[in-house]
């Protein structure tokens, strides 16, 4: 009788994947989906997890089925996001919208351009998106979905107009933090919120 074929080894979890689970647990305890005791138990398990199979059960009751409203679906192995996406343009225009995968970090290197980044239908791969700006002239518009918050504390501006509110103002639980860093000179940056298109 032939032996059963060996099963595939369990896929090892990365630090980034553990951090992503921990952030989802923090959001869940903040919005009342987990009590503090459950949070502590799951946090300990997440920190000790060595494989994706050990991490996944910690959040399966907290993430949404793809296509439904609710919590952020967790894109574990099989749908890795790029660590860094760099957008370079001079004297032109840049537009990203529709269903595109957000990297962990987005470097925006533009001069005298109009840039529109629509995140409302983007596939989120982590609890935070860092946008590193090196922008000289032109306009940058961020279109965000409810639940996304903006942190611009690391952004340096000179001779520029910046209009940023922290969130949509509708008390939606945080699903994505957009951290702006770098510098903008002689430009304009605006944010606005709108519901994702179905």
């Amino acid at each position: 009788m032939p032996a059963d074929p060996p099963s595939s080894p369990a896929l090892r979890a990365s630090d980034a994947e553990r951090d992503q689970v921990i952030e989802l647990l923090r959001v869940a305890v903040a919005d009342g989906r987990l009590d503090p005791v459950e949070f502590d138990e799951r946090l300990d398990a997440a920190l000790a997890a060595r494989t994706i199979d050990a991490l996944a059960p910690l959040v399966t009751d907290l993430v949404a089925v793809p296509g439904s409203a609710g919590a952020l679906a967790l894109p574990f192995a099989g749908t890795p996001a790029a660590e860094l996406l760099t957008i370079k343009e001079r004297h032109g225009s840049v537009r990203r919208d529709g269903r595109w995968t957000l990297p962990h970090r987005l470097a925006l290197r533009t001069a005298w351009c109009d840039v529109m980044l629509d995140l409302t239908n983007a596939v989120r791969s982590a609890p935070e998106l860092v946008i590193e700006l090196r922008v000289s002239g032109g306009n940058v518009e961020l279109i965000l979905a409810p639940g996304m918050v903006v942190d611009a504390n690391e952004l340096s501006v000179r001779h520029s107009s910046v209009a940023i509110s922290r969130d949509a103002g509708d008390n939606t639980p945080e699903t994505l933090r957009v951290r702006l860093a770098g510098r903008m000179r002689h430009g304009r940056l605006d944010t606005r919120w709108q519901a994702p298109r179905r």
Side-chain angles (χ1 to χ4, degrees):
M1 183 175 206
D4 290 336
S7 60
S8 299
L11 198 60
R12 302 287 286 191
S14 68
D15 288 339
E17 287 161 336
R18 273 186 286 277
D19 290 345
Q20 186 178 356
V21 166
I22 290 167
E23 184 60 27
L24 284 170
L25 295 174
R26 285 191 180 123
V27 170
V29 76
D31 66 19
R33 288 183 289 149
L34 284 180
D35 65 40
V37 173
E38 290 174 308
F39 171 75
D40 288 341
E41 291 170 352
R42 294 189 192 199
L43 177 62
D44 290 343
L47 291 170
R50 295 287 169 257
T51 65
I52 295 295
D53 290 343
L55 279 177
L58 302 175
V59 292
T60 51
D61 59 343
L62 303 175
V63 294
V65 174
S68 69
L72 171 62
L74 193 62
F76 279 136
T79 58
E83 180 64 30
L84 172 66
L85 170 65
T86 302
I87 296 175
K88 295 181 181 180
E89 185 66 40
R90 297 176 64 83
H91 303 285
S93 64
V94 174
R95 182 182 181 97
R96 283 287 176 113
D97 60 0
R99 191 164 177 83
W100 59 293
T101 301
L102 297 180
H104 294 295
R105 289 171 38 239
L106 191 156
L108 197 57
R109 309 287 185 250
T110 60
W112 305 103
C113 290
D114 288 329
V115 178
M116 191 277 284
L117 300 175
D118 184 344
L119 309 186
T120 56
N121 286 301
V123 177
R124 303 164 210 175
S125 55
E128 181 177 74
L129 167 65
V130 179
I131 301 178
E132 300 169 0
L133 294 95
R134 197 177 305 148
V135 173
S136 298
N139 301 312
V140 176
E141 181 182 21
L142 297 177
I143 305 175
L144 308 164
M148 296 181 182
V149 298
V150 177
D151 176 356
N153 290 332
E154 298 172 58
L155 180 63
S156 167
V157 296
R158 184 174 297 160
H159 308 297
S160 299
S161 169
V162 177
I164 298 174
S165 54
R166 185 181 176 281
D167 58 33
D170 60 359
N171 297 319
T172 303
E174 181 179 322
T175 59
L176 179 71
R177 176 169 294 272
V178 179
R179 185 155 56 94
L180 304 179
R183 62 175 175 77
M184 172 175 266
R185 303 291 182 261
H186 306 284
R188 177 181 175 86
L189 188 144
D190 291 297
T191 59
R192 66 183 169 93
W193 277 259
Q194 70 181 31
R197 294 181 299 277
R198 296 291 176 197

